[in-house]
C-alpha cells in the first residue's frame, strides 16, 4: 500500500454507520476494516476499546460461527453481547421489526441480526438509532466476505490481481464475495447452472466496479473454466437453510459441480480451498480437498472473529 493510500484510509471513519452489504462501503472503507482486523489479531485479547458497549444479537436463523464469533469478539473487546431469538422475544409474538429497532436502540450500542429477507434488515436499520450489522440475509453475507479476504491476504500477502473461483449456488455468500472481489481488484469467476447464477443486478454492478478497479468478472456454467489458474477455489453448500424442500432437485442440478481433486488440478498448484462452513463432505466438496493441504477453511472460520472485531471497533469507537 502506498503512503497516499495509507493517508486516505487513516482519514476514513465508519462510526455510526450500518453494515448491511459490501456494496454500500467504499474500497477505502473495506481496506480499513481488513487492516484493522490484521492489527487486532496481532494485539490478542488485552486490547479493550469497547468497555461498557453492548451488542444485541437477533437470530432468526440458526448459527454456530456467527453467534460465537460476535459474542466472543465483544467479550474480548471489553464489551458484552446479548443473544435474542424469536422464540424468546416479542418478535415471536408479532412485535414489528420497526418497534423492536426503536426499543433496542434505548438499551444497546449496536444490533446484529441474522435473518431471512434482506428487506427485514433494511427496515430494522431505518428505525434504529444505533449501527445495524448484517450477520446474514438471503441476499448478502458481508461479514463472511470480510473474513474471506482477510484470510486471502494473510496467505497470499496481497489480494489485488489474484483470481477467486467460486463453484456452486449463486447465493448470499457468492453475492458478497463477488462484490468485495470487484471492489478490491480481485478477478472473480463463478460456475453454476444457469438457474443458479447470482443476482443479475449485483452482477451488473460488479462488472461496472471491475471496470474501474481493473479486474474481470466471469459468470459461466463450466467449472473448469472458472477454476482455471485460480489462486483460491471457494465452495458453499448447495442447499441453504430454508431451501430444504429443494434439496433433491438441487442435488440433481449441481451434479458435476463438486470441487474435487480432478477439478482443482486446473487451479494453480498453491491454490487455497475456501468454504464458509458448515460443509457437506462428498457433496459440494470431496473430503480429499477440504481436508487436504491447500484447505484454509478453519483459518477462514477463525477470521470471522477478527474481521468482526475490526468492524465493531470501527462502528463504535
Amino acid at each position: 500500500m502506498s503512503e497516499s493510500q495509507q493517508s486516505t484510509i487513516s482519514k476514513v471513519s465508519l462510526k455510526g454507520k450500518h453494515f448491511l452489504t459490501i456494496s454500500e462501503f467504499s474500497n477505502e472503507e473495506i481496506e480499513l476494516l481488513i487492516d484493522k482486523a490484521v492489527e487486532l489479531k496481532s494485539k490478542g485479547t488485552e486490547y479493550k476499546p469497547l468497555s461498557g458497549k453492548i451488542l444485541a444479537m437477533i437470530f432468526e436463523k440458526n448459527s454456530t460461527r456467527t453467534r460465537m464469533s460476535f459474542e466472543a469478539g465483544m467479550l474480548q473487546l471489553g464489551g458484552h453481547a446479548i443473544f435474542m431469538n424469536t422464540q424468546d422475544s416479542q418478535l415471536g409474538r408479532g412485535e414489528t421489526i420497526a418497534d423492536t429497532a426503536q426499543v433496542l436502540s434505548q438499551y444497546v450500542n449496536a444490533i446484529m441480526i441474522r435473518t431471512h429477507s434482506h428487506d427485514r434488515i433494511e427496515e430494522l436499520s431505518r428505525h434504529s438509532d444505533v449501527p445495524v450489522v448484517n450477520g446474514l440475509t438471503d441476499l448478502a453475507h458481508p461479514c463472511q466476505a470480510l473474513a474471506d479476504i482477510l484470510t486471502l491476504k494473510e496467505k497470499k500477502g496481497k489480494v489485488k490481481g489474484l483470481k477467486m473461483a467460486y463453484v456452486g449456488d449463486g447465493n448470499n455468500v457468492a453475492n458478497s464475495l463477488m462484490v468485495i472481489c470487484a471492489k478490491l481488484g480481485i478477478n472473480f469467476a463463478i460456475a453454476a447452472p444457469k438457474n443458479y447464477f447470482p443476482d443479475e443486478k449485483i452482477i451488473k454492478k460488479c462488472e461496472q466496479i471491475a471496470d474501474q478497479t481493473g479486474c474481470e468478472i466471469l459468470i459461466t456454467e463450466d467449472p473448469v473454466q472458472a477454476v482455471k489458474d485460480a489462486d483460491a477455489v471457494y465452495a458453499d453448500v448447495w442447499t441453504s437453510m430454508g431451501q430444504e424442500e429443494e434439496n433433491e432437485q438441487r442435488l440433481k442440478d449441481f451434479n458435476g459441480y463438486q470441487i474435487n481433486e480432478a477439478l482443482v488440478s486446473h487451479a494453480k498448484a498453491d491454490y487455497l480451498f475456501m468454504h464458509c462452513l458448515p460443509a457437506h463432505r462428498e457433496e459440494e466438496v470431496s473430503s480429499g480437498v477440504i481436508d487436504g493441504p491447500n484447505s484454509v477453511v478453519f483459518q477462514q472460520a477463525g477470521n470471522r472473529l477478527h474481521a468482526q472485531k475490526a468492524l465493531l471497533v470501527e462502528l463504535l469507537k
Side-chain angles (χ1 to χ4, degrees), residues 168-217:
D169 187 19
N171 57 16
N172 47 10
V173 172
N175 287 338
S176 292
L177 192 62
M178 178 166 55
V179 175
I180 200 169
C181 284
K183 282 183 172 285
L184 298 181
I186 302 167
N187 299 301
F188 182 83
I190 179 171
K194 196 166 187 179
N195 290 342
Y196 297 93
F197 281 178
D199 183 277
E200 184 62 33
K201 292 180 181 178
I202 296 178
I203 292 174
K204 290 181 179 179
K205 179 66 174 177
C206 286
E207 290 173 341
Q208 293 172 354
I209 297 170
D211 286 341
Q212 299 171 357
T213 58
C215 62
E216 297 181 354
I217 304 294

Side-chain angles (χ1 to χ4, degrees), residues 22 95 115 166:
I22 294 294
E95 183 167 35
T115 188
Y166 181 103

Side-chain angles (χ1 to χ4, degrees), residues 218-236:
L218 172 66
I219 314 294
T220 179
E221 294 182 80
D222 183 358
V224 172
Q225 183 184 18
V227 168
K228 182 174 174 58
D229 297 326
D231 297 281
V233 180
Y234 200 116
D236 190 8

Side-chain angles (χ1 to χ4, degrees), residues 239-250:
T239 304
S240 298
M241 283 183 289
Q243 299 171 334
E244 288 80 7
E245 63 183 24
E246 304 173 16
N247 186 56
E248 186 176 345
Q249 184 62 50
R250 283 172 171 267

Side-chain angles (χ1 to χ4, degrees), residues 39 68 126 133 176 204 213 224 230 272 282 300-301:
E39 175 191 338
M68 292 300 297
R126 283 195 297 270
V133 175
S176 292
K204 290 181 179 179
T213 58
V224 172
L272 305 177
E282 305 308 328
Q300 190 183 352

Side-chain angles (χ1 to χ4, degrees), residues 24-293:
E24 296 159 348
F25 276 57
S26 68
N27 304 28
E28 292 78 18
E29 289 171 329
I30 295 168
E31 290 171 356
L32 168 67
L33 290 171
I34 299 299
D35 290 343
K36 176 62 73 172
V38 172
E39 175 191 338
L40 293 181
K41 191 171 183 178
S42 68
K43 286 186 175 182
T45 59
E46 299 305 312
Y47 182 55
K48 309 287 186 184
L50 298 187
S51 177
K53 303 291 186 182
I54 301 172
L55 172 71
M57 306 188 302
I58 303 173
F59 285 87
E60 298 182 325
K61 274 190 169 184
N62 293 337
S63 169
T64 297
R65 280 151 290 277
T66 299
R67 178 177 178 180
M68 292 300 297
S69 55
F70 270 108
E71 192 161 343
M74 280 300 290
L75 290 171
Q76 289 182 11
L77 293 168
H80 188 71
I82 300 174
F83 172 82
M84 297 173 58
N85 60 32
T86 51
Q87 290 74 36
D88 299 332
S89 70
Q90 296 297 336
L91 279 169
R93 297 182 60 201
E95 183 167 35
T96 68
I97 198 74
D99 286 355
T100 298
Q102 293 180 77
V103 170
L104 291 182
S105 295
Q106 313 301 311
Y107 305 144
V108 304
N109 303 100
I111 303 169
M112 186 281 297
I113 184 169
R114 182 177 170 94
T115 188
H116 298 272
S117 169
H118 196 77
D119 292 342
R120 195 157 172 79
I121 195 172
E122 289 182 335
E123 184 178 4
L124 181 72
S125 68
R126 283 195 297 270
H127 296 278
S128 174
D129 295 327
V130 299
V132 172
V133 175
N134 184 351
L136 176 142
T137 66
D138 290 349
L139 179 70
H141 200 353
C143 291
Q144 180 65 55
L146 288 178
D148 296 339
I149 300 305
L150 173 59
T151 306
L152 191 64
K153 183 172 183 176
E154 286 180 331
K155 299 299 291 186
K156 295 296 185 179
K158 65 164 191 173
V159 296
K160 187 175 177 61
L162 298 181
K163 178 180 178 181
M164 172 75 74
Y166 181 103
V167 179
D169 187 19
N171 57 16
N172 47 10
V173 172
N175 287 338
S176 292
L177 192 62
M178 178 166 55
V179 175
I180 200 169
C181 284
K183 282 183 172 285
L184 298 181
I186 302 167
N187 299 301
F188 182 83
I190 179 171
K194 196 166 187 179
N195 290 342
Y196 297 93
F197 281 178
D199 183 277
E200 184 62 33
K201 292 180 181 178
I202 296 178
I203 292 174
K204 290 181 179 179
K205 179 66 174 177
C206 286
E207 290 173 341
Q208 293 172 354
I209 297 170
D211 286 341
Q212 299 171 357
T213 58
C215 62
E216 297 181 354
I217 304 294
L218 172 66
I219 314 294
T220 179
E221 294 182 80
D222 183 358
V224 172
Q225 183 184 18
V227 168
K228 182 174 174 58
D229 297 326
D231 297 281
V233 180
Y234 200 116
D236 190 8
V237 295
W238 293 337
T239 304
S240 298
M241 283 183 289
Q243 299 171 334
E244 288 80 7
E245 63 183 24
E246 304 173 16
N247 186 56
E248 186 176 345
Q249 184 62 50
R250 283 172 171 267
L251 289 177
K252 293 177 182 177
D253 292 343
F254 282 100
N255 183 35
Y257 285 85
Q258 184 188 82
I259 296 179
N260 51 35
E261 290 84 344
L263 182 59
V264 296
S265 68
H266 298 280
K268 291 182 179 177
D270 62 347
Y271 84 97
L272 305 177
F273 174 72
M274 307 181 79
H275 195 302
C276 56
L277 299 180
H280 294 163
R281 285 170 167 77
E282 305 308 328
E283 196 167 290
E284 75 272 4
V285 59
S286 68
S287 296
V289 169
I290 193 171
D291 297 325

